[in-house]
Each structure stands twice: as C-alpha cells, then as structure tokens.
Amino acid sequence: MAAQVRVFSDVDTLNAAAARHWVDCAADAIAQRGAFHVALSGGSTPRRLYALLASEPWRDHLDWSHTHIWFGDERAVAPDHPDSNYRMACEALLDHVPLPVSQVHRIEGELPDATEAAQRYAAALEDTLPRASEGAPQFDLMLLGMGPDGHTASLFPGSGLPEVRDRPVAAAYVEQAGMWRISLTLPVINAAHQVLLLVAGADKASMLARVLGQAPATEPLPVELIAPQGDTQWFLDGAAARQLEAHD
Ligand code: 6PG
C-alpha cells in the first residue's frame, strides 16, 4: 500500500493530527480485535504527542483498559536512566493515564546482556500479539521516528540490525549511538496494520528529500525499507518537509 505524506504548518498541528490518528487506530483495533497494541517510538519528537494523549480531551477519548503499550526500541540502560525511552514515555504519558501495569510491556534495557533482553521481549510479543499472515507478531499501530542518517527505531545503518529477518527483536552495539540498542526488526515493523512516522525539524529535511523525493536507492537506508502490508503515514512539520516538492 502506498505511503501517504501529510505536511503540517507546525509541530502542534502535527501532534494534534497524530493524536487523532492514534484515536482512530485504537477505536478500529478494539472494535475489530478486542485490543489496541501500539509500539511507541523514542527520542524527542514523540514526547509532545504522548503528553497530548495524556491531556484532555484526548485522554478521555481513549479506552486505556484495552490498550497495550509496547516499545519499538530501547537503549540498553536502566528504566530510570535519562536516555531510557521507557522513562520518557512514563514522564509524558504512562504516569498520567489509567493503564493497567500489566499492559505496559517494556524492554528490559537494564539486563547485562542486551541479547537476553531482546529474547525476553520477543517471547512477550509472541505470547501476546496476534500474528500476521507470515507469522510475525502484528501491531495495530507502529509509531516510528527517523534520524538524519535514515535510521528508524534502532535500525541504524551498518549496525547489522536492519538486516535481521529471522527474529522479531534484536540487539547490537550501535557505534553511532555509542551504546547497545534493542530494536524491533523489519519483519515486525512491516507486519503492522498501521505505521505512522512522525518527523519534525530542519535537520531531517535532506534525508526526507532522499527518502520521499526520489526513486528508491540501490542501497536503501533502514527507513527506506519500511513497506508494511498495512498503511504507512508520514506526518511531517514544515521544517522537515522544506526540501520536498510542493504537495498537492
Ligand atoms: C530512539 C528512537 C529513534 C528516533 C530517531 C529520531 O530510540 O532514539 O527510536 O529511532 O525515533 O532517532 O529521534 P528524534 O525524534 O529525537 O529526532
């Protein structure tokens, strides 16, 4: 299914549209499958979306009792570490909404062996999520960001993680990040019913021009490998989209 690209004048309108998309995905998933399984992205861009979802009127629009929060990736740090995606999600969202603790599934970044954390998270995914036709655990909504180097989740170019296809979660030491990372792999990302990439800021403009603006590269970057069976939406702010052709 082709990707849809929407450009918003500023980050606030981008996040309001993303909150509306989350509400719609959640309602569809709960109505059709009885639960809403969403994978959060990390970094700084999604923080404001999470805070918006934890505030009125969005908070009360959502059925938290049927929502399961997962993580697209995690840094190999303790859950209270400043770099932890889990900590960011707690501060912005999870500490402010009536989510049963058993429905928050974090990646155990504190484990001495990141590969063991990946295996434990994979087991939780496989025990809990429905399966897509080719067998991968299937999310209802996959939130992703994009780095200026074309990484997404923790699928960094050269890390070996973008090439993993035989398991749903993998870990590697990522030179660019200077740390071990644990990440969902492409088969799981591409099995999702809905993928929403939130990209904001001028530092993403040149990579977006490559990813969205020209023919597929011969050596695709990780974010260029996102091609789910489901629906892919790119939500961009004006600064990130400024090198793209004018949109109709
Ligand atoms: C992470 C994210 C990562 C992020 C991009 C963009 O753990 O850091 O999963 O893939 O989405 O690096 O990050 P910003 O939103 O901070 O630019």
Side-chain angles (χ1 to χ4, degrees):
M1 189 177 291
Q4 286 184 302
V5 179
R6 294 178 63 187
V7 182
F8 300 89
S9 53
D10 56 50
V11 173
D12 287 340
T13 50
L14 179 149
N15 284 312
R20 167 50 55 200
H21 193 62
W22 173 303
V23 167
D24 293 346
C25 290
D28 287 349
I30 293 167
Q32 293 176 38
R33 294 179 287 275
F36 174 53
H37 292 279
V38 54
L40 301 186
S41 64
S44 56
T45 301
R47 190 179 189 118
R48 291 172 68 169
L49 167 60
Y50 303 158
L52 194 59
L53 292 168
S55 67
E56 300 309 336
W58 302 102
R59 184 179 184 277
D60 291 346
H61 266 77
L62 289 161
D63 178 356
W64 300 103
S65 67
H66 289 91
T67 296
H68 286 254
I69 298 286
W70 302 79
F71 292 82
D73 68 324
E74 187 56 280
R75 294 81 181 278
V77 295
D80 60 353
H81 189 282
D83 288 346
S84 165
N85 287 336
Y86 170 76
R87 173 173 159 172
M88 182 271 280
C90 285
E91 290 171 348
L93 175 62
L94 304 181
D95 290 349
H96 311 288
V97 294
L99 250 180
V101 173
S102 62
Q103 293 173 206
V104 178
H105 311 271
R106 71 178 184 87
I107 300 171
E108 296 166 288
E110 70 276 21
L111 293 182
D113 179 357
T115 302
E116 181 186 355
Q119 290 164 346
R120 287 165 61 91
Y121 194 59
L125 282 175
E126 290 168 341
D127 288 349
T128 314
L129 262 66
R131 297 298 183 96
S133 53
E134 75 294 335
Q138 187 165 38
F139 281 94
D140 298 298
L141 176 60
M142 175 74 58
L143 289 181
L144 294 173
M146 185 195 76
D149 62 353
H151 81 260
T152 189
S154 282
L155 306 180
F156 282 81
S159 68
L161 291 175
E163 292 74 22
V164 174
R165 298 289 189 277
D166 63 348
R167 52 200 188 280
V169 190
Y173 183 79
V174 176
E175 292 293 341
Q176 300 92 315
M179 64 171 70
W180 276 83
R181 292 283 193 103
I182 302 117
S183 183
L184 294 182
T185 57
L186 271 169
V188 175
I189 291 172
N190 284 338
H193 287 284
Q194 299 267 348
V195 173
L196 174 59
L197 293 111
L198 292 184
V199 184
D203 63 326
K204 311 292 174 70
S206 59
M207 181 51 68
L208 278 175
R210 165 179 165 158
V211 174
L212 295 177
Q214 64 188 33
T218 50
E219 291 289 319
L221 290 165
V223 76
E224 293 176 302
L225 298 171
I226 303 295
Q229 306 152 354
D231 176 49
T232 306
Q233 303 265 347
W234 290 81
F235 283 11
L236 316 176
D237 75 343
R242 65 180 181 185
Q243 294 182 26
L244 294 182
E245 299 299 313
H247 279 271
D248 51 12

